Amino acid sequence: MTNVVVVGTQWGDEGKGKVVDMLTEYADLVVRYQGGNNAGHTLVVNGEQTICHLIPSGILHKGKRCLIGNGLVVDPEVLLGEMEELRSKGVEITPENLSLSEKAHIIMPYHRAIDLAREEAKGKKKLGTTGRGIGPCYEDKVARVGIRAIDMTEPDTLSEKIKVNLEEKNFYLTEFLNSEPLDYDSIYESYLRMGEILKPYIRDVSLEIEKAILKGKRILFEGAQGTHLDVDHGTYPYVTSSNPVAGTACSGAGIGPDKLNHINGIVKAYTTRVGAGPFPTELNDETGDYIQERGAEFGATTGRRRRCGWLDMVLIKDSIRLNGLNSISITKLDVLSGLKKIKICVEYELDGERVGSRPASLKRLSRCKPVYEELPGWDQDISSVRSWDELPDETKRYLLRIQELSGIPISIVSVGPMREQTIILSNPFTGGP
Ligand code: IMP
């Protein structure tokens, strides 16, 4: 039995989807454990692209079960939309290959309305959320007024909870956020109807995982967002409202820490960020534009242009500690081809002193200057390289330096979006190439 967790080590968009897709071949179950439809991964189904925000990409692999854990916040409209879209492309979706945890919290129309109205009210100070109601839904979960998947299958509970919530939310929306109130009847009817459709999928995911483990099945836990967007450990308040760190695979799926065997951290060969917030290695120059264009760095959920910068090993080293990483996967390495010099930030300089971990205070972080090491770049197109030996010497040097600074092995190197554009040095499931 081997269970693997894949997490993002930066600010999300590291290319987790591709690694998850590749590793799914070795897994029996694929489980998401936090976040919601703020995440997005591009799937290619019969040559056609589809962007999924909730359903794990494992759904495209025959015979694999995909589970949506209790740690997620789920917009049922989005989930049903994705199920329909995939079905229209010939992907079978039944309770045999998809489950939704009965304890997952449900995103309601007032969550989306509050998210959008709050951002609007903040003006220049906005966080740049995805506007999907993620934060307000997690707020209600912690405030113990949230609506869970199971509630959608109990008309009385659903009705009472919507009524109680709407009273407060409508007051907040109209009196504080100068927004429109929402109507009880239409919300109740649509959520009840969606609950009826989703009922066969709503299960005890924790029990299901336990049974699978007892049968010796292999599980892949798919993290969303990235470590530095973590509500506890990220660049607070410019973070998401969940914990993308690996430990959440336990609380967000309903299993114990003893069930996790290998944690793989996805490291994009450079850094990107969408939304607002500090970014010490950001490049507001031609090199940043070069990376943005070559890497097609646009958000999968909002289509926003991603900010780009050099690889920041301060972030990666924090991620190694916070997630207990066993190995890293380097993605989008091919994007850096053609750059004369490549820089790696190895430390920050803060008020004349060197620091090796990102300060919690945003004021202190804004004074941090990256300390760079400069390495030679490479001209060759590496997108068709399939083995370590074929890589240009300069590329190997870049990778080896990342590995040395990380202190943990590189297991996978990705040189393009296609499944075959991958160099596997050590498979986290099998230990082999
Ligand atoms: P929220 O998760 O929609 O509340 O947005 C909070 C912050 O997290 C914003 O800066 C978003 O751009 C960022 N964010 C949320 N999900 C993702 C993701 O999947 N990739 C990258 N950034 C994300």
Side-chain angles (χ1 to χ4, degrees):
M1 183 259 319
T2 311
N3 300 322
V4 174
V5 188
V6 169
V7 289
T9 59
Q10 293 152 319
W11 280 298
D13 310 316
E14 295 90 354
K16 294 177 289 293
K18 170 172 166 182
V19 177
V20 166
D21 179 56
M22 207 209 85
L23 291 178
T24 297
E25 204 180 306
Y26 304 89
D28 300 295
L29 283 84
V30 185
V31 184
R32 261 197 72 183
Y33 55 85
Q34 46 74 225
N37 60 314
N38 46 354
H41 42 253
T42 309
L43 308 177
V44 182
V45 193
N46 301 327
E48 262 186 88
Q49 278 203 353
T50 303
I51 296 180
C52 272
H53 302 281
L54 282 168
I55 300 185
S57 39
I59 203 77
L60 299 186
H61 298 245
K62 274 232 169 322
K64 313 281 174 184
R65 276 194 66 69
C66 291
L67 309 182
I68 298 176
N70 59 277
L72 275 90
V73 288
V74 174
D75 189 325
E77 218 174 299
V78 173
L79 178 59
L80 289 167
E82 284 181 11
M83 287 162 71
E84 271 321 301
E85 191 174 346
L86 287 170
R87 276 189 193 123
S88 73
K89 291 182 174 159
V91 181
E92 211 179 325
I93 300 184
T94 69
E96 291 306 305
N97 64 348
L98 182 70
S99 291
L100 164 64
S101 166
E102 51 195 11
K103 297 178 198 155
H105 278 251
I106 297 298
I107 295 182
M108 304 297 292
Y110 45 80
H111 293 136
R112 287 191 299 264
I114 290 172
D115 197 358
L116 293 169
R118 258 195 206 150
E119 283 283 274
E120 171 107 15
K122 280 195 179 119
K124 279 193 176 152
K125 289 194 170 157
K126 67 179 174 192
L127 298 176
T129 72
T130 58
R132 304 295 194 262
I134 308 293
C137 186
Y138 276 117
E139 283 170 35
D140 279 1
K141 169 178 174 171
V142 179
R144 293 160 294 185
V145 295
I147 296 180
R148 303 193 296 174
I150 193 72
D151 300 330
M152 289 176 71
T153 67
E154 294 173 6
D156 293 353
T157 316
L158 182 67
S159 162
E160 196 188 316
K161 285 195 166 187
I162 295 177
K163 269 189 195 140
V164 171
N165 273 296
L166 260 191
E167 209 180 327
E168 186 183 320
K169 308 299 180 195
N170 274 343
F171 180 79
Y172 180 55
L173 276 166
T174 53
E175 300 300 312
F176 188 77
L177 292 170
N178 287 323
S179 198
E180 297 299 313
L182 297 168
D183 170 56
Y184 164 83
D185 287 331
S186 62
I187 298 179
Y188 174 67
E189 276 157 30
S190 72
Y191 275 71
L192 192 63
R193 187 183 47 81
M194 292 192 283
E196 276 162 17
I197 306 173
L198 287 172
K199 198 171 176 178
Y201 297 86
I202 299 175
R203 305 251 185 101
D204 188 326
V205 161
S206 162
L207 274 181
E208 220 183 292
I209 297 177
E210 185 186 42
K211 280 186 199 149
I213 290 174
L214 288 173
K215 285 188 190 153
K217 304 269 189 210
R218 288 170 169 178
I219 304 170
L220 177 59
F221 293 92
E222 174 181 354
Q225 289 86 43
T227 302
H228 293 272
L229 283 175
D230 187 283
V231 68
D232 283 283
H233 302 291
T235 40
Y236 192 90
Y238 298 97
V239 292
T240 191
S241 298
S242 66
N243 291 101
V245 292
T248 312
C250 296
S251 58
I255 52 151
D258 59 327
K259 302 296 185 299
L260 307 181
N261 308 107
H262 190 108
I263 322 287
N264 182 251
I266 312 298
V267 177
K268 183 146 65 180
Y270 47 92
T271 314
T272 60
R273 165 158 218 171
V274 270
F279 184 170
T281 64
E282 182 167 14
L283 289 165
N284 290 308
D285 60 10
E286 282 172 6
T287 311
D289 291 344
Y290 181 84
I291 295 173
Q292 198 274 331
E293 277 157 33
R294 275 184 62 89
E297 293 293 351
F298 291 97
T301 300
T302 55
R304 287 178 288 180
R305 196 181 156 95
R306 295 178 185 141
R307 300 152 66 192
C308 297
W310 296 119
L311 179 64
D312 184 344
M313 286 306 295
V314 177
L315 300 185
I316 308 301
K317 282 196 262 182
D318 282 344
S319 286
I320 293 170
R321 183 183 74 253
L322 293 164
N323 293 291
L325 297 185
N326 300 99
S327 66
I328 51 175
S329 295
I330 308 291
T331 60
K332 299 191 92 163
L333 188 60
D334 54 302
V335 171
L336 298 183
S337 289
L339 290 169
K340 291 273 162 289
K341 302 269 180 214
I342 296 181
K343 291 185 185 178
I344 304 180
C345 166
V346 289
E347 272 180 322
Y348 297 152
E349 193 182 294
L350 173 61
D351 304 334
E353 282 184 24
R354 294 289 180 98
V355 289
S357 176
R358 182 174 51 70
S361 149
L362 288 196
K363 283 206 174 114
R364 279 167 60 81
L365 182 57
S366 68
R367 296 202 303 277
C368 281
K369 302 267 173 297
V371 177
Y372 286 118
E373 266 182 30
E374 200 174 83
L375 277 80
W378 59 90
D379 273 333
Q380 298 92 319
D381 172 13
I382 57 168
S383 59
S384 50
V385 169
R386 299 289 176 268
S387 72
W388 175 264
D389 292 340
E390 289 171 67
L391 285 170
D393 287 345
E394 294 81 5
T395 320
K396 285 184 191 155
R397 201 166 143 191
Y398 185 58
L399 291 173
L400 288 172
R401 186 63 185 136
I402 296 172
Q403 183 164 264
E404 192 176 27
L405 290 164
S406 306
I408 52 171
I410 296 176
S411 52
I412 295 167
V413 178
S414 169
V415 291
M418 307 304 286
R419 216 178 270 177
E420 58 276 12
Q421 291 176 301
T422 312
I423 303 166
I424 303 180
L425 303 170
S426 164
N427 184 319
F429 272 110
T430 62

